[in-house]
């Protein structure tokens, strides 16, 4: 604001209160998005507006005509904050392409996380299509403390044996080192380390609490069978949050809970009503996916999930398993889809006012689970438009505002994401609400979603007229403040 004098300033401020775009008609923005149906979950705005974007930031939101060097005509399209995925394991060029084509502008690996924060961010610096970030992982800390090579999921000693006090101390130190280097959160996969003691988990929560970091937890048990039900598992982590003060985020509640999902959601609502900071997420599919070699498939898995060999689908070939093929693949390892949920459970989770949407996605050379490529379009096409299980603005709230708010305490820059607001980052997803739909399947998981028309990351178009743009790398790190 230069040399406009006091009266001018007052006029501008008053003008801004009435219409943020007053006196902007002569400004030419880098990009304007005209006539779109702008939906902003924070203000519950759902109205036709024009947007002006410059230098990666939303500069104007107006009913007035705006001019720009580049113009997108968004007539008939929804203009939403870009989707923020709190649970995306695949963090490479292949995975980012599929996320972008599903409307995701920020993909975070918060459940499994990493053991080396600096190296993880350095690998992606200035190279990515979308924004990225990671947690400090308890699994990685446990593998390192037990002197095992740090792989995605533990399969050796770190998966199965109890830790000594010295090893627990070393894990705490590793998580603390990661948080000091700006890890977004702390990640847990307790079902992958069934002999991690309750005290060990509490100790990790204590570290997270000290740094205001949310704990993103794949819980100790799944299903309804007692002892060892998902209800008991949720008691463990709600207790840990209450005892330590760490914020708790329960991942994929519907795949862990199965038929107990409504009870788990009730418990979370009750914990929140007592003032605890507890949130959760889900994805819109009736099958999960994990490594066949992991502890999840130790003796008794059929009873835990109430399924059999035929309910397992080998990702590499699409074949359903038998006892013979299960035993064979269990020796080599590899990803397997687990058909353990009903459509009713998924519907309950998606439409619950407590859940965020998060994909749990990972694709490896086109193989994997369809959730990687299709989660967000599937919610908007299948659950919002076709089933009318929830409203469009509520679905978008679960994909944008709530994930941003989950992380704001630790990562203040998230206050500029998940919103269509003057001053917010220009991470935007523009889609056709009449045609948006997932196309990826369990047989062919690597198919882009349909109906996503334009995607911007930090003001740069990465999807234009439904075409992925090449040679652009506007993605930036999402990282808590740390000493440079
Ligand atoms: Zn998980």
């Amino acid at each position: 604001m230069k040399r406009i004098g006091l009266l001018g300033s007052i006029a501008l401020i008053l003008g801004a209160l009435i219409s943020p775009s007053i006196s902007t008609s002569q400004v030419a923005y880098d990009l304007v998005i005209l006539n779109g149906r702008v939906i902003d979950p924070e203000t519950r705005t759902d109205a036709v507006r024009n947007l002006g974007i410059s230098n990666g930031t939303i500069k104007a939101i107006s009913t007035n005509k705006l001019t720009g060097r580049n113009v997108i005509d968004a007539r008939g399209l929804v203009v939403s904050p870009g989707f923020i995925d709190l649970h995306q394991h695949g963090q490479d060029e292949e995975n980012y392409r599929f996320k972008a084509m599903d409307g995701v502008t920020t993909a975070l690996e918060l459940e499994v996380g990493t053991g080396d924060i600096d190296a993880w961010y350095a690998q992606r610096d200035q190279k990515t299509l979308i924004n990225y970030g990671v947690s400090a992982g308890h699994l990685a800390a446990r593998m390192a403390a037990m002197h095992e090579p740090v792989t995605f999921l533990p399969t050796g000693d770190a998966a199965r044996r109890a830790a000594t006090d010295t090893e627990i101390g070393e894990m705490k130190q590793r998580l603390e080192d990661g948080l000091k280097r700006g890890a977004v959160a702390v990640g847990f996969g307790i079902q992958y380390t069934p002999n991690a003691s309750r005290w060990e988990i509490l100790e990790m929560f204590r570290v997270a609490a000290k740094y205001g970091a949310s704990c993103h937890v794949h819980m100790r048990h799944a299903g309804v069978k007692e002892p060892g039900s998902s209800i008991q598992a949720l008691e463990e982590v709600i207790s840990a949050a209450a005892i330590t003060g760490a914020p708790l985020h329960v991942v994929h509640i519907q795949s862990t809970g199965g038929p107990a999902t409504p009870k788990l959601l009730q418990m979370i609502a009750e914990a929140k009503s007592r003032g605890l900071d507890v949130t959760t997420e889900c994805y819109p599919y009736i099958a999960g996916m994990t490594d066949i070699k992991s502890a999840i498939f130790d003796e008794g898995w059929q009873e835990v999930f109430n399924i059999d060999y035929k309910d397992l689908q080998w990702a590499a070939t699409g074949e359903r398993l038998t006892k013979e093929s299960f035993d064979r693949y269990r020796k080599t390892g590899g990803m397997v889809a687990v058909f353990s949920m009903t459509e009713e459970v998924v519907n309950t989770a998606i439409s619950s006012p407590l859940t965020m949407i998060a994909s749990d996605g990972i694709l490896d050379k086109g193989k994997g689970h369809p959730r990687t490529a299709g989660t967000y379009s599937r919610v908007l096409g299948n659950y919002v438009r076709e089933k009318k299980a929830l409203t469009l603005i509520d679905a978008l709230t679960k994909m944008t505002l709530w994930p941003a708010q989950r992380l704001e305490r630790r990562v203040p820059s998230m206050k500029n994401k998940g919103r269509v607001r003057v001053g917010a980052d220009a991470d935007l997803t523009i889609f056709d609400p009449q045609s948006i739909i997932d196309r990826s399947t369990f047989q062919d998981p690597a198919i882009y979603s349909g109906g996503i028309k334009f995607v911007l990351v930090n003001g740069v178009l990465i999807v234009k007229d439904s075409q992925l743009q090449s040679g652009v790398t506007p993605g930036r790190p999402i990282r808590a403040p740390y000493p440079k």
Side-chain angles (χ1 to χ4, degrees), residues 89 107 111 120 142 153 188 192 203-204 210 221 240 269 294 322 332 338 376 388 406-407 418 433-434 448 466 476:
H89 298 296
E111 181 208 43
W120 194 94
R142 200 170 207 270
L153 297 174
F188 295 82
Y192 297 103
E203 285 284 78
M204 304 306 132
K210 183 174 163 191
H221 309 296
S294 71
T322 61
T332 61
V338 188
Y376 293 86
K388 301 189 178 2
R406 169 74 290 181
L407 303 175
Q434 300 309 319
Y448 292 145
S466 298
R476 292 291 171 261

Side-chain angles (χ1 to χ4, degrees), residues 76-78 83 100-103 377 380-381 385 429-439 448-455 463 465-467:
L77 304 178
V78 169
F83 308 151
M101 290 298 287
D102 200 32
S377 299
L380 295 170
R385 184 180 59 241
T429 293
I430 303 174
F431 63 90
D432 177 0
Q434 300 309 319
S435 69
I436 191 167
I437 198 70
D438 60 308
R439 294 187 180 130
Y448 292 145
S449 295
I452 301 278
K453 301 295 186 185
F454 300 89
V455 180
V463 176
D465 297 319
S466 298
Q467 298 299 308

Side-chain angles (χ1 to χ4, degrees), residues 353-369:
L354 294 169
T355 55
M356 302 176 203
I357 305 300
S359 75
D360 197 3
I362 182 167
L363 272 184
D364 183 8
K365 298 182 185 69
K367 298 294 180 189
H369 191 297

Side-chain angles (χ1 to χ4, degrees), residues 8 27 33 57 77 81 94 117-118 137 146 182-183 193 258 346 364 404 431-432 449-450:
V27 178
I33 301 168
T57 303
L77 304 178
E94 178 190 19
I117 295 294
D118 281 335
M146 294 192 176
T193 58
V346 175
D364 183 8
F431 63 90
D432 177 0
S449 295

